[in-house]
Amino acid sequence: MAGLLRSALFVPADKPRALAKAAGLEADAVILDLEDAVAPPHKDAARAAALKALRQGPWTAPVRAVRINALSSAWGEADVLALAASGPDALVIPKVESAADVHNVRAQIRRAMGHAALPGPHLWAMVETPQGILKLEEIAASAAAAGLTTLVFGANDLATALHCDPLAAHRQALLAHLSRLVLVARSFGLRVLDGVYNAFEDAEGFAAEARQGKTLGFDGKTLIHPAQIAAANAIFGPTDEQIKQARVIVRAFALKKNAGKGAINLNGQMVERLHLENAKALLDSLPAGLAQPRQRKAAPKRKTSS
Ligand code: COA
Ligand code: MG
């Protein structure tokens, strides 16, 4: 799953207005939620609504994910059976506490798909319990075999379980766990999303927390309200300057005089192939509209006097 993952919006699957609105929102991912956002009496209806929404489309968001209920709950198995073959790009597994939690979902997906050779959805693991944090390495190490691609920080559940104040002093109580998530994700080549910010009317507070997540190394942030999308996209996306510099690096290495060189002089700066790879990855991750340099408008032809 290439592409930017700056913003991933949770959408309660039992709210028809939210589902309808979500289809046209410019988040990099939508996560149709069957778990915490849906009360037990509405679980079956929410699953049916998520299925219908996935089939109907079209979706502006390039990535469509569904957060299932845990397999240990009364609904998890039915969620996987119904959704595995219905085209979501990813299934988000809540409260993952062991590699087995990920492998068991993959096994259910295979069963649901009749053991077809098709790859099925990617798996994202929510890390939101003390055990999940402790077992993070074991969970991430299962990535290749089970199709785990992304770790998601579950701020609300973790703070509740730890009896800590998640917001005090710029998330001081959570910092060690946030950094550990980034460390493990990078060690195992996974993507990593920061937790949600509950006060959706506090744009300043959201921006400050998103900038902190960006500084810590997260790819993007999970969101609860459409009002948070634009800020997340801006804060986690590459700046115009970074895009411009990436193009300069790619062009410089493409010059004949630089063919086969490991390091080059670019306006007095050493630039290595590592930077070239980073520049290419940045350009590859951009949405189509940003991937090509903006064409300068041709100058209007001057009227020549005859
Ligand atoms: N996804 C899509 N649309 C959403 C949305 C979301 N997460 N949250 C709100 N909207 C829509 C509303 O449906 C409403 O659309 P409408 O004008 O067509 O009715 C519009 O955005 C404005 O919503 P607003 O009135 O500001 O908020 P609300 O009171 O309807 O909802 C919340 C507030 C917090 C209950 C709601 O944002 C929500 O349910 N968020 C997701 C919660 C969740 O998934 N939690 C689990 C993960 S932590
Ligand atoms: Mg939760």
Side-chain angles (χ1 to χ4, degrees), residues 9-12 15-22 25 31 33 35-38 67 156 196 198 200-201 223-227:
L9 176 69
F10 280 107
V11 184
K15 290 189 179 165
R17 287 184 74 100
L19 270 181
K21 196 178 187 94
L25 295 173
I31 305 172
D33 193 16
E35 200 227 8
D36 280 349
V38 179
R67 180 164 73 170
N156 288 329
V196 300
N198 296 334
F200 60 86
E201 288 177 351
L223 313 176
I224 52 159
H225 194 282

Side-chain angles (χ1 to χ4, degrees), residues 103-274:
H103 282 282
N104 290 343
V105 172
R106 178 58 64 194
Q108 287 285 349
I109 291 173
R110 291 216 176 93
R111 223 163 287 149
M113 297 178 77
H115 299 276
L118 299 168
H122 289 184
L123 296 179
W124 297 5
M126 295 223 43
V127 181
E128 49 186 343
T129 62
Q131 278 294 313
I133 297 284
L134 278 179
K135 302 271 181 59
L136 205 48
E137 278 179 60
E138 175 200 325
I139 294 163
S142 76
L148 181 74
T149 60
T150 305
L151 298 177
V152 184
F153 190 74
N156 288 329
D157 281 284
L158 185 63
T160 304
L162 292 176
H163 305 186
C164 74
D165 179 348
L167 293 179
H170 307 288
R171 298 201 285 178
Q172 197 171 26
L174 296 177
L175 275 184
H177 314 311
L178 288 161
S179 288
R180 191 162 147 74
L181 212 71
V182 175
L183 179 76
V184 172
R186 299 298 169 224
S187 303
F188 290 92
L190 303 175
R191 306 228 267 183
V192 61
L193 290 172
D194 197 354
V196 300
Y197 187 76
N198 296 334
F200 60 86
E201 288 177 351
D202 176 6
E204 229 171 86
F206 175 81
E209 191 174 288
R211 277 195 292 271
Q212 182 193 36
K214 167 79 176 167
T215 304
L216 289 169
F218 283 91
D219 293 304
K221 195 163 175 62
T222 46
L223 313 176
I224 52 159
H225 194 282
Q228 299 174 324
I229 296 172
N233 286 348
I235 289 166
F236 286 97
T239 62
D240 288 351
E241 191 49 42
Q242 286 168 326
I243 297 173
K244 203 168 124 198
Q245 182 64 7
R247 290 200 184 106
V248 169
I249 292 173
V250 169
R251 271 202 297 270
F253 270 99
L255 293 176
K256 219 174 183 177
K257 65 172 183 175
N258 291 330
K261 283 191 186 165
I264 62 172
N265 170 352
L266 189 62
N267 306 323
Q269 294 256 2
M270 180 191 69
V271 177
E272 298 176 289
R273 294 221 156 244
L274 140 84

